[in-house]
Amino acid sequence: MPRTTPALSTLLPPLICGTATFNDQYNPDPYALPTTSIVHEALSLGVRAFDTSPYYGPAEDLLGAALDTCFVHQNFPRRDYFLLTKVGRISGEEFDYSESWVRHSVQRSLERLHTSYLDVVYCHDVEFVSPEEVLTAVEELRRIRDETGRVKYVGISGYPVTTLCELSEMILRETGEPLDIVMSYANFTLQNTRLASVALPRLEAAGVDVVPNASVLGMGLLRRKGVPIGARGDFHPSPQGLRAAIQAVSDWSSAQDIADNRIEKVAIRWALEKWMREGVAVGSKGDPASGIPWIREKIESYGGTKLGVSVMGVSNVEELEETMRVWRSILDGLEDGEKTALDAGRSVDDRTWSLQRQQQVTGLAEGIRKALGEWIDYAWLSPAPGFVNKRSAPAIPAPLPTPAASPDQVPKPALINGIPELRPRVPI
């Protein structure tokens, strides 16, 4: 079958706001986060795509509540932003890729997100199930796409890049249709660039249209204060040796006589900027969120036909605003970036600063990567040895716990048979 038209790469914005942080893996109480403020500010700053998953605890509910507000309805038509979610992963040790669960999960996401369609649906963490199960889920998502239009584009996500490549090749071989999108996480960072060196040629050859790079901090590994500890405790799969090496290079970076020298500052800018360029072949040309107000931008005017796509998660408005400052500075440093800066109300000095900062970050990154030595391109095992899928039979999930209300006063939806009742059901 031919690829869905128009190609996703002609539409998808190259900067996606991730919502894995709206979850107790990364934060002790996701309901205490200002999630509505984050989403509204992201839209106001030009972000036009949001990535989420049923596996991310209350993330779909929180994102949906933020979008189902007068502010969004009056200022941002649904056609102007993209919603990307996932199916298949239920919990840390439960996966269900059956046709019936895929249908149930899609329906539930439509209701939670207050939408009549989903722009992208991934099969979530495909390395935990068999290739046959992945093929079943992909074919069911495509059936929903073709028969109902409730799903627009279909892809897979996961950690091991070789598995993502093998499955992309298998799906093309078995169905004659390439995947629209394959998302990798923690595989194009200061520490690990296997997404570019190992996966990119194979994914291109398999016809994959878009490859977003997620988790540029390696699930929080590349932070001065170490991996995040949420309500679930220390979930990070990295070994102690790698953590110690990251701490050592973090201390080295902080000691350099350069502004903004913390490892997370260096890691974010380095990965966003490098993937924006190196991921062009599997990038996209949607709205780049350059800061030009109220204009549907075309990337051809700002440095190339496509930009490599990145997913960035934040836990507060300040982190979001800092991410946008970095992103726009990177755009200012592209070819013809001076025009971008001027059209967005910035100045020629902003482009000059961007190029200077690019040199600083490159120098720090080279020092960090050299010091990491044997840990460069190390990838932890996923799944861990001995993993067993504990899912035995499909079942309606239990309702989520409801801790203290969010500062944004997000209402908790009523539950019917364990499913939030947000919209009238639309058969899929």
mmCIF file of all heavy atoms in Angstrom, residues 9 17 46 49 54 81 90 103 108 114 121 135 152 159 190 217 228 231 243 254 292 328 334-335 359 369 384 406 422:
data_model
loop_
_atom_site.group_PDB
_atom_site.id
_atom_site.type_symbol
_atom_site.label_atom_id
_atom_site.label_comp_id
_atom_site.label_asym_id
_atom_site.label_seq_id
_atom_site.Cartn_x
_atom_site.Cartn_y
_atom_site.Cartn_z
ATOM 1 N N SER A 9 5.806 14.246 7.104
ATOM 2 C CA SER A 9 6.960 15.151 7.136
ATOM 3 C C SER A 9 6.649 16.524 6.550
ATOM 4 O O SER A 9 7.399 17.478 6.791
ATOM 5 C CB SER A 9 8.135 14.535 6.385
ATOM 6 O OG SER A 9 7.776 14.236 5.043
ATOM 7 N N CYS A 17 6.125 19.057 22.224
ATOM 8 C CA CYS A 17 6.100 19.116 23.684
ATOM 9 C C CYS A 17 5.714 17.745 24.225
ATOM 10 O O CYS A 17 4.609 17.250 23.971
ATOM 11 C CB CYS A 17 5.100 20.175 24.159
ATOM 12 S SG CYS A 17 4.989 20.329 25.960
ATOM 13 N N GLY A 46 4.056 29.170 20.322
ATOM 14 C CA GLY A 46 4.170 28.620 18.982
ATOM 15 C C GLY A 46 4.310 27.122 18.890
ATOM 16 O O GLY A 46 4.407 26.572 17.789
ATOM 17 N N ALA A 49 2.519 20.821 18.722
ATOM 18 C CA ALA A 49 2.421 19.360 18.783
ATOM 19 C C ALA A 49 2.684 18.897 20.208
ATOM 20 O O ALA A 49 3.569 19.430 20.891
ATOM 21 C CB ALA A 49 3.417 18.708 17.828
ATOM 22 N N PRO A 54 -1.097 6.642 27.258
ATOM 23 C CA PRO A 54 -1.839 6.116 28.409
ATOM 24 C C PRO A 54 -0.914 5.594 29.502
ATOM 25 O O PRO A 54 -1.289 5.571 30.681
ATOM 26 C CB PRO A 54 -2.656 4.967 27.804
ATOM 27 C CG PRO A 54 -2.736 5.258 26.349
ATOM 28 C CD PRO A 54 -1.457 5.961 26.007
ATOM 29 N N TYR A 81 -3.000 22.131 15.702
ATOM 30 C CA TYR A 81 -2.009 21.452 16.543
ATOM 31 C C TYR A 81 -2.156 19.942 16.405
ATOM 32 O O TYR A 81 -3.209 19.428 16.023
ATOM 33 C CB TYR A 81 -2.106 21.893 18.010
ATOM 34 C CG TYR A 81 -3.424 21.629 18.702
ATOM 35 C CD1 TYR A 81 -3.691 20.415 19.308
ATOM 36 C CD2 TYR A 81 -4.407 22.622 18.772
ATOM 37 C CE1 TYR A 81 -4.896 20.172 19.953
ATOM 38 C CE2 TYR A 81 -5.614 22.399 19.408
ATOM 39 C CZ TYR A 81 -5.848 21.180 20.005
ATOM 40 O OH TYR A 81 -7.044 20.952 20.636
ATOM 41 N N ILE A 90 0.710 -0.925 29.041
ATOM 42 C CA ILE A 90 -0.266 -0.693 30.102
ATOM 43 C C ILE A 90 0.429 -0.314 31.398
ATOM 44 O O ILE A 90 0.018 0.611 32.099
ATOM 45 C CB ILE A 90 -1.140 -1.940 30.299
ATOM 46 C CG1 ILE A 90 -1.920 -2.215 29.001
ATOM 47 C CG2 ILE A 90 -2.095 -1.755 31.471
ATOM 48 C CD1 ILE A 90 -2.562 -3.578 28.961
ATOM 49 N N ARG A 103 -8.156 -1.089 19.817
ATOM 50 C CA ARG A 103 -9.400 -0.323 19.619
ATOM 51 C C ARG A 103 -9.817 0.376 20.910
ATOM 52 O O ARG A 103 -10.211 1.551 20.903
ATOM 53 C CB ARG A 103 -10.514 -1.254 19.129
ATOM 54 C CG ARG A 103 -10.313 -1.753 17.710
ATOM 55 C CD ARG A 103 -11.577 -2.416 17.166
ATOM 56 N NE ARG A 103 -11.946 -3.611 17.919
ATOM 57 C CZ ARG A 103 -11.498 -4.835 17.645
ATOM 58 N NH1 ARG A 103 -10.628 -5.032 16.659
ATOM 59 N NH2 ARG A 103 -11.904 -5.878 18.349
ATOM 60 N N ARG A 108 -10.320 5.315 24.167
ATOM 61 C CA ARG A 108 -10.079 5.972 25.445
ATOM 62 C C ARG A 108 -9.245 7.238 25.266
ATOM 63 O O ARG A 108 -9.526 8.278 25.890
ATOM 64 C CB ARG A 108 -9.357 4.997 26.378
ATOM 65 C CG ARG A 108 -9.097 5.530 27.774
ATOM 66 C CD ARG A 108 -8.386 4.496 28.617
ATOM 67 N NE ARG A 108 -7.127 4.067 28.004
ATOM 68 C CZ ARG A 108 -6.311 3.160 28.538
ATOM 69 N NH1 ARG A 108 -6.634 2.576 29.675
ATOM 70 N NH2 ARG A 108 -5.189 2.828 27.923
ATOM 71 N N HIS A 114 -10.256 14.779 24.379
ATOM 72 C CA HIS A 114 -11.343 15.629 23.890
ATOM 73 C C HIS A 114 -11.176 15.946 22.404
ATOM 74 O O HIS A 114 -11.214 17.108 21.985
ATOM 75 C CB HIS A 114 -11.410 16.935 24.690
ATOM 76 C CG HIS A 114 -11.665 16.737 26.147
ATOM 77 N ND1 HIS A 114 -12.929 16.702 26.682
ATOM 78 C CD2 HIS A 114 -10.812 16.539 27.182
ATOM 79 C CE1 HIS A 114 -12.847 16.512 27.997
ATOM 80 N NE2 HIS A 114 -11.571 16.398 28.315
ATOM 81 N N VAL A 121 -0.535 7.749 16.172
ATOM 82 C CA VAL A 121 -0.585 6.743 17.230
ATOM 83 C C VAL A 121 0.590 5.791 17.025
ATOM 84 O O VAL A 121 0.759 5.206 15.956
ATOM 85 C CB VAL A 121 -1.909 5.961 17.234
ATOM 86 C CG1 VAL A 121 -1.874 4.892 18.326
ATOM 87 C CG2 VAL A 121 -3.093 6.901 17.457
ATOM 88 N N LEU A 135 3.105 -6.312 14.462
ATOM 89 C CA LEU A 135 2.455 -6.291 13.156
ATOM 90 C C LEU A 135 0.939 -6.267 13.301
ATOM 91 O O LEU A 135 0.240 -5.523 12.591
ATOM 92 C CB LEU A 135 2.893 -7.501 12.330
ATOM 93 C CG LEU A 135 2.333 -7.590 10.912
ATOM 94 C CD1 LEU A 135 2.746 -6.384 10.088
ATOM 95 C CD2 LEU A 135 2.800 -8.887 10.247
ATOM 96 N N LYS A 152 -4.671 9.247 12.032
ATOM 97 C CA LYS A 152 -4.168 9.773 10.767
ATOM 98 C C LYS A 152 -2.861 9.111 10.332
ATOM 99 O O LYS A 152 -2.685 8.797 9.161
ATOM 100 C CB LYS A 152 -3.959 11.283 10.873
ATOM 101 C CG LYS A 152 -5.213 12.060 11.254
ATOM 102 C CD LYS A 152 -6.337 11.886 10.245
ATOM 103 C CE LYS A 152 -7.557 12.720 10.626
ATOM 104 N NZ LYS A 152 -8.694 12.490 9.709
ATOM 105 N N TYR A 159 13.166 1.795 22.681
ATOM 106 C CA TYR A 159 14.530 2.193 23.039
ATOM 107 C C TYR A 159 15.610 1.555 22.155
ATOM 108 O O TYR A 159 16.404 2.283 21.570
ATOM 109 C CB TYR A 159 14.802 1.900 24.518
ATOM 110 C CG TYR A 159 16.212 2.243 24.931
ATOM 111 C CD1 TYR A 159 16.635 3.569 24.977
ATOM 112 C CD2 TYR A 159 17.128 1.243 25.241
ATOM 113 C CE1 TYR A 159 17.942 3.896 25.333
ATOM 114 C CE2 TYR A 159 18.433 1.557 25.611
ATOM 115 C CZ TYR A 159 18.834 2.877 25.653
ATOM 116 O OH TYR A 159 20.122 3.193 26.004
ATOM 117 N N LEU A 190 24.300 13.602 24.389
ATOM 118 C CA LEU A 190 25.745 13.776 24.579
ATOM 119 C C LEU A 190 26.459 12.445 24.785
ATOM 120 O O LEU A 190 27.607 12.277 24.391
ATOM 121 C CB LEU A 190 26.002 14.661 25.803
ATOM 122 C CG LEU A 190 26.210 16.150 25.602
ATOM 123 C CD1 LEU A 190 26.424 16.827 26.947
ATOM 124 C CD2 LEU A 190 27.378 16.427 24.673
ATOM 125 N N LEU A 217 18.009 14.333 27.410
ATOM 126 C CA LEU A 217 18.794 14.188 28.640
ATOM 127 C C LEU A 217 18.911 12.728 29.079
ATOM 128 O O LEU A 217 19.312 12.439 30.214
ATOM 129 C CB LEU A 217 18.181 15.016 29.776
ATOM 130 C CG LEU A 217 18.242 16.540 29.608
ATOM 131 C CD1 LEU A 217 17.613 17.228 30.812
ATOM 132 C CD2 LEU A 217 19.671 17.018 29.402
ATOM 133 N N PRO A 228 16.142 11.600 37.854
ATOM 134 C CA PRO A 228 14.980 12.053 38.620
ATOM 135 C C PRO A 228 14.416 10.940 39.494
ATOM 136 O O PRO A 228 14.399 9.772 39.101
ATOM 137 C CB PRO A 228 13.979 12.462 37.532
ATOM 138 C CG PRO A 228 14.368 11.666 36.332
ATOM 139 C CD PRO A 228 15.857 11.508 36.406
ATOM 140 N N ALA A 231 7.575 9.482 42.423
ATOM 141 C CA ALA A 231 6.839 8.710 43.419
ATOM 142 C C ALA A 231 7.171 7.219 43.354
ATOM 143 O O ALA A 231 6.987 6.492 44.326
ATOM 144 C CB ALA A 231 5.342 8.926 43.230
ATOM 145 N N ARG A 243 26.434 6.247 35.719
ATOM 146 C CA ARG A 243 26.007 7.388 36.538
ATOM 147 C C ARG A 243 27.218 8.109 37.130
ATOM 148 O O ARG A 243 27.266 9.344 37.168
ATOM 149 C CB ARG A 243 25.066 6.925 37.648
ATOM 150 C CG ARG A 243 23.771 6.320 37.142
ATOM 151 C CD ARG A 243 22.824 6.023 38.278
ATOM 152 N NE ARG A 243 21.668 5.267 37.838
ATOM 153 C CZ ARG A 243 20.552 5.121 38.543
ATOM 154 N NH1 ARG A 243 20.460 5.691 39.738
ATOM 155 N NH2 ARG A 243 19.546 4.418 38.082
ATOM 156 N N SER A 254 30.923 21.984 34.953
ATOM 157 C CA SER A 254 30.574 23.091 35.843
ATOM 158 C C SER A 254 31.791 23.922 36.235
ATOM 159 O O SER A 254 31.656 25.097 36.598
ATOM 160 C CB SER A 254 29.883 22.559 37.102
ATOM 161 O OG SER A 254 28.643 21.959 36.786
ATOM 162 N N ILE A 292 7.799 34.041 15.220
ATOM 163 C CA ILE A 292 7.111 34.968 14.320
ATOM 164 C C ILE A 292 5.618 34.885 14.629
ATOM 165 O O ILE A 292 5.013 33.821 14.517
ATOM 166 C CB ILE A 292 7.377 34.621 12.850
ATOM 167 C CG1 ILE A 292 8.873 34.716 12.565
ATOM 168 C CG2 ILE A 292 6.596 35.538 11.928
ATOM 169 C CD1 ILE A 292 9.261 34.285 11.179
ATOM 170 N N ARG A 328 14.826 28.766 19.818
ATOM 171 C CA ARG A 328 14.820 29.906 18.905
ATOM 172 C C ARG A 328 16.225 30.423 18.637
ATOM 173 O O ARG A 328 16.533 30.874 17.528
ATOM 174 C CB ARG A 328 13.916 31.003 19.455
ATOM 175 C CG ARG A 328 12.447 30.616 19.350
ATOM 176 C CD ARG A 328 11.530 31.604 20.025
ATOM 177 N NE ARG A 328 10.130 31.210 19.828
ATOM 178 C CZ ARG A 328 9.100 31.801 20.391
ATOM 179 N NH1 ARG A 328 9.298 32.828 21.220
ATOM 180 N NH2 ARG A 328 7.871 31.392 20.155
ATOM 181 N N LEU A 334 20.914 29.114 12.179
ATOM 182 C CA LEU A 334 20.877 28.408 10.903
ATOM 183 C C LEU A 334 21.197 29.362 9.757
ATOM 184 O O LEU A 334 21.211 30.586 9.916
ATOM 185 C CB LEU A 334 19.494 27.802 10.674
ATOM 186 C CG LEU A 334 19.044 26.708 11.636
ATOM 187 C CD1 LEU A 334 17.616 26.288 11.305
ATOM 188 C CD2 LEU A 334 19.966 25.500 11.585
ATOM 189 N N GLU A 335 21.456 28.796 8.606
ATOM 190 C CA GLU A 335 21.611 29.621 7.406
ATOM 191 C C GLU A 335 20.342 30.465 7.223
ATOM 192 O O GLU A 335 19.226 29.965 7.380
ATOM 193 C CB GLU A 335 21.822 28.716 6.188
ATOM 194 C CG GLU A 335 22.065 29.458 4.895
ATOM 195 C CD GLU A 335 22.229 28.522 3.714
ATOM 196 O OE1 GLU A 335 22.257 27.292 3.940
ATOM 197 O OE2 GLU A 335 22.300 29.011 2.594
ATOM 198 N N GLN A 359 29.567 27.568 19.363
ATOM 199 C CA GLN A 359 30.982 27.228 19.517
ATOM 200 C C GLN A 359 31.292 26.815 20.958
ATOM 201 O O GLN A 359 32.033 25.847 21.193
ATOM 202 C CB GLN A 359 31.854 28.412 19.106
ATOM 203 C CG GLN A 359 31.814 28.717 17.612
ATOM 204 C CD GLN A 359 32.701 29.905 17.244
ATOM 205 O OE1 GLN A 359 32.977 30.774 18.074
ATOM 206 N NE2 GLN A 359 33.149 29.936 16.000
ATOM 207 N N ARG A 369 32.399 14.344 25.971
ATOM 208 C CA ARG A 369 32.371 13.068 25.266
ATOM 209 C C ARG A 369 33.732 12.371 25.341
ATOM 210 O O ARG A 369 33.805 11.147 25.472
ATOM 211 C CB ARG A 369 31.939 13.280 23.812
ATOM 212 C CG ARG A 369 30.449 13.584 23.702
ATOM 213 C CD ARG A 369 30.020 13.890 22.272
ATOM 214 N NE ARG A 369 30.267 12.812 21.342
ATOM 215 C CZ ARG A 369 29.522 11.722 21.213
ATOM 216 N NH1 ARG A 369 28.443 11.571 21.982
ATOM 217 N NH2 ARG A 369 29.810 10.802 20.320
ATOM 218 N N ALA A 384 14.930 -5.747 30.340
ATOM 219 C CA ALA A 384 15.961 -6.363 31.159
ATOM 220 C C ALA A 384 15.888 -7.881 31.039
ATOM 221 O O ALA A 384 14.820 -8.444 30.735
ATOM 222 C CB ALA A 384 15.782 -5.941 32.616
ATOM 223 N N SER A 406 -4.526 19.720 41.040
ATOM 224 C CA SER A 406 -3.484 20.514 40.412
ATOM 225 C C SER A 406 -3.670 21.984 40.744
ATOM 226 O O SER A 406 -4.785 22.437 40.988
ATOM 227 C CB SER A 406 -3.564 20.322 38.894
ATOM 228 O OG SER A 406 -2.921 21.360 38.207
ATOM 229 N N LEU A 422 -15.751 11.525 28.935
ATOM 230 C CA LEU A 422 -15.510 12.919 28.599
ATOM 231 C C LEU A 422 -16.313 13.376 27.388
ATOM 232 O O LEU A 422 -16.648 14.537 27.255
ATOM 233 C CB LEU A 422 -14.017 13.125 28.315
ATOM 234 C CG LEU A 422 -13.095 12.768 29.494
ATOM 235 C CD1 LEU A 422 -11.654 12.937 29.071
ATOM 236 C CD2 LEU A 422 -13.406 13.653 30.694
#
